[in-house]
Amino acid sequence: MHWLKNLKLTPKLMLAFGVVLVLLAAQGVGAYYGLSSLNRATTNLSQGSMQSVSVAAELRALLGEYRTAAYRGLVRASDAVKLDARERSAKLSEQIDQSLAAYGKLAATAEERKLLEELTTSWHKARASYESVNELIDLELPDDALDTFLGETSDLHNAATAAVTALIQETDRQADQSVASAGTAYATSVTTIVVMLLVGVAGGLAIAFFIARNLAGAMRGAVAVANDVATGKLDSRIDIRGSDEIADLMRAMQRMQHDLRERTERDQKVAAENLRIRTALEASTTGLMITDPEYRIVYRNPALARMLEGHADQVAAALPHLDMEAPLVGQPVEVLEIGGKIAQDFVARLEREGSAAREVQYGDACFAQNISTILDAEGKYVGMVCEWRDRTAEIRVEQEVARVVEAAAAGDLSGRIDTSDKQGFLLQLAVQLNGLLDANAISLAEVSRLLTALAQGDLTVRMEGQFHGVFARMRDDANATVDQLTSIVSRIQAASAAINAG
């Protein structure tokens, strides 16, 4: 029965119904000849003899009507009447030809075909005679036309009518024969049909039970697999044996199970990746904010919240419409804009270039923003991401550096940058700048001390200390200058002593 399981549902059902039909056909085996006789008789009677009689009777009526129409065109009447009669004759001739053709399809016996051929020949001769009468009328020979109509044409027409009558008699004979055969076969067939009907019903029920049990079992397996998939169980075994539609369904469900398992694993990986990304965003020290296409905030990380909370007073003063207690997520991004509205030129630049940078000042608090648009795989705008960086401390350092540098430019090297409240780059900047000021102050102080001593006539002074670069060269040049001055003064003193001695 393995081959039966491998059949597709359509062939399987067709096979089942075929067996049922065979059983049903077997019902009529005993009464085959009787039924075939009855069938032939009734078929011949209904589809053959009756239609043949009907067509033949129609032919006889059409022949009579054609004769009447031809006669109307022959008698002395108006031209309109004759023209109408001529047109009517043409239509009737066409109908007669159609009826002859239709009867040709109904002729079942050689005798019928022979009689039909005789009728066709007789009609063609009669129509040719009618046409010759019309030609005589057209030649304005009414007397000759009448003689022909009453003589030759009438005889040919009667021959055609007799051929139709003979054809009708043949069909009547065949109908009587069919009726007699049907009556004989009916009584023999009834008993056999009843017995075989009972056998066919029993066999059909048995086949239906077998097919139904087979399909129900397969469907129960498919339902079980579907329930497993629906509950998330994606490792159940699926029986894909067979070649019918149920097996195709099970194979499709196996592919679906495999695809769902892969998709679930892929979604889990994506979820894990998204979790890592979100965790990284949450742990980032850079403030981040993401909006949807309608500029509504959909995400903000804790760093941004800490930034705004760290300057809550300045932010609240600059943004009186912002509720500092309400969460930012879900609110429009305009709540963080001065005046409650985004500058249109900035939006236009962002849409044109895809990214833009700016600084936002909330009182003394200053934030640098880098804003970029977010596009999906199809290049469609889906939102934007904004990076916040707190520049408040940098601004204070910049101002402090500017003050110290301005004082140094004015000759005051005593200014220093406070390093107690700074860290990272700003601390390094303050330390290096303070070191630069210290180096300049020390070197200039030594130079000043050296020049002061020289001004007082002390040529024993020297510029001491560990210096580097230009400051080292300055120390060496200053000391060389003092040495040179000492040498010059010594030579002058020696020359003065020699002069005094002389």
Side-chain angles (χ1 to χ4, degrees), residues 1-7 12 241-243:
M1 301 299 290
H2 185 69
W3 64 272
L4 181 60
K5 186 177 180 180
N6 289 332
L7 285 177
K12 187 180 295 184
R241 292 175 298 176
S243 302

Side-chain angles (χ1 to χ4, degrees), residues 233-500:
K233 184 180 179 182
L234 301 177
D235 57 352
S236 59
R237 181 181 177 277
I238 300 178
D239 185 7
I240 59 173
R241 292 175 298 176
S243 302
D244 59 357
E245 282 80 359
I246 300 298
D248 293 341
L249 174 62
M250 301 302 285
R251 279 189 285 270
M253 295 188 73
Q254 186 184 56
R255 290 193 298 270
M256 180 183 69
Q257 182 191 61
H258 181 266
D259 293 344
L260 284 175
R261 185 164 57 245
E262 288 186 346
R263 185 178 302 174
T264 301
E265 294 173 355
R266 192 164 54 246
D267 290 345
Q268 289 175 348
K269 292 180 180 178
V270 172
E273 182 67 22
N274 290 337
L275 179 61
R276 285 194 295 271
I277 294 174
R278 186 179 182 89
T279 303
L281 294 178
E282 296 285 332
S284 175
T285 57
T286 301
L288 288 172
M289 179 179 69
I290 301 176
T291 70
D292 61 10
E294 285 74 32
Y295 298 103
R296 188 169 296 275
I297 301 172
V298 296
Y299 173 79
R300 69 102 185 94
N301 68 346
L304 177 58
R306 289 193 296 269
M307 287 183 189
L308 297 178
E309 291 172 0
H311 304 282
D313 295 338
Q314 291 86 348
V315 174
L319 304 174
H321 54 278
L322 175 63
D323 184 1
M324 298 295 293
E325 300 297 328
L328 282 178
V329 175
Q331 298 192 58
V333 74
E334 287 85 355
V335 298
L336 297 174
E337 297 293 325
I338 302 297
K341 188 175 181 181
I342 305 177
Q344 293 302 314
D345 57 343
F346 180 77
V347 174
R349 180 160 65 94
L350 181 62
E351 293 177 351
R352 182 176 62 255
E353 300 178 2
S355 63
R358 66 173 182 173
E359 286 191 355
V360 178
Q361 192 83 25
Y362 300 141
D364 295 335
C366 180
F367 298 96
Q369 293 182 342
N370 288 323
I371 305 174
S372 301
T373 57
I374 305 174
L375 306 179
D376 60 11
E378 299 177 355
K380 182 180 178 182
Y381 173 75
V382 295
M384 66 178 184
V385 57
C386 179
E387 302 176 42
W388 292 62
R389 187 168 60 86
D390 189 357
R391 291 195 68 245
T392 305
E394 293 181 15
I395 295 296
R396 287 199 295 266
V397 172
E398 290 173 1
Q399 294 173 350
E400 195 171 356
V401 169
R403 176 179 55 79
V404 172
V405 171
E406 183 178 357
D412 182 7
L413 298 179
S414 62
R416 296 295 182 269
I417 300 175
D418 184 12
T419 60
S420 61
D421 59 345
K422 297 175 180 59
Q423 58 182 357
F425 169 75
L426 298 180
L427 177 60
Q428 293 181 9
L429 177 63
V431 171
Q432 295 295 332
L433 185 57
N434 288 340
L436 176 63
L437 291 172
D438 289 340
N440 280 277
I442 293 172
S443 63
L444 292 176
E446 284 294 312
V447 171
S448 177
R449 182 179 64 82
L450 178 65
L451 294 178
T452 300
L454 291 176
Q456 294 174 357
D458 184 3
L459 298 179
T460 63
V461 68
R462 294 291 184 273
M463 186 175 175
E464 305 294 340
Q466 294 295 327
F467 299 99
H468 304 280
V470 67
F471 298 115
R473 290 195 300 272
M474 185 184 298
R475 178 197 61 194
D476 296 340
D477 292 342
N479 290 337
T481 301
V482 174
D483 291 338
Q484 187 67 25
L485 287 174
T486 301
S487 176
I488 292 173
V489 171
S490 296
R491 289 197 298 270
I492 290 176
Q493 289 175 347
S496 298
I499 292 173
N500 291 333

Side-chain angles (χ1 to χ4, degrees), residues 87-270:
E87 293 176 353
R88 179 61 179 164
S89 297
K91 292 181 180 179
L92 290 172
S93 176
E94 183 178 353
Q95 293 179 6
I96 291 171
D97 291 338
Q98 293 175 355
S99 297
L100 288 173
Y103 195 93
K105 298 178 180 179
L106 298 174
T109 64
E111 183 65 22
E112 278 188 288
R113 287 191 289 272
K114 177 182 176 182
L115 292 174
L116 178 61
E117 184 178 354
E118 292 177 357
L119 172 60
T120 302
T121 302
S122 299
W123 160 243
H124 288 164
K125 291 180 180 180
R127 183 169 58 186
S129 180
Y130 277 117
E131 291 176 354
S132 65
V133 170
N134 290 333
E135 290 177 359
L136 292 173
I137 293 174
D138 293 338
L139 294 174
E140 298 182 354
L141 298 174
D143 294 335
D144 293 340
L146 182 60
D147 291 341
T148 302
F149 182 83
L150 295 176
E152 174 188 328
T153 304
S154 180
D155 294 339
L156 294 174
H157 183 86
N158 291 335
T161 302
V164 172
T165 302
L167 195 58
I168 292 175
Q169 291 174 352
E170 175 63 19
T171 56
D172 289 341
R173 186 189 64 79
Q174 293 181 8
D176 294 338
Q177 184 178 1
S178 298
V179 171
S181 299
T184 303
Y186 176 75
T188 306
S189 304
V190 170
T191 304
T192 305
I193 291 175
V194 171
V195 174
M196 297 303 297
L197 178 62
L198 296 176
V199 176
V201 169
L205 289 176
I207 293 172
F209 174 77
F210 174 76
I211 296 296
R213 186 178 65 175
N214 186 290
L215 293 178
M219 291 306 296
R220 280 194 297 269
V223 170
V225 172
N227 288 331
D228 289 343
V229 172
T231 56
K233 184 180 179 182
L234 301 177
D235 57 352
S236 59
R237 181 181 177 277
I238 300 178
D239 185 7
I240 59 173
R241 292 175 298 176
S243 302
D244 59 357
E245 282 80 359
I246 300 298
D248 293 341
L249 174 62
M250 301 302 285
R251 279 189 285 270
M253 295 188 73
Q254 186 184 56
R255 290 193 298 270
M256 180 183 69
Q257 182 191 61
H258 181 266
D259 293 344
L260 284 175
R261 185 164 57 245
E262 288 186 346
R263 185 178 302 174
T264 301
E265 294 173 355
R266 192 164 54 246
D267 290 345
Q268 289 175 348
K269 292 180 180 178
V270 172

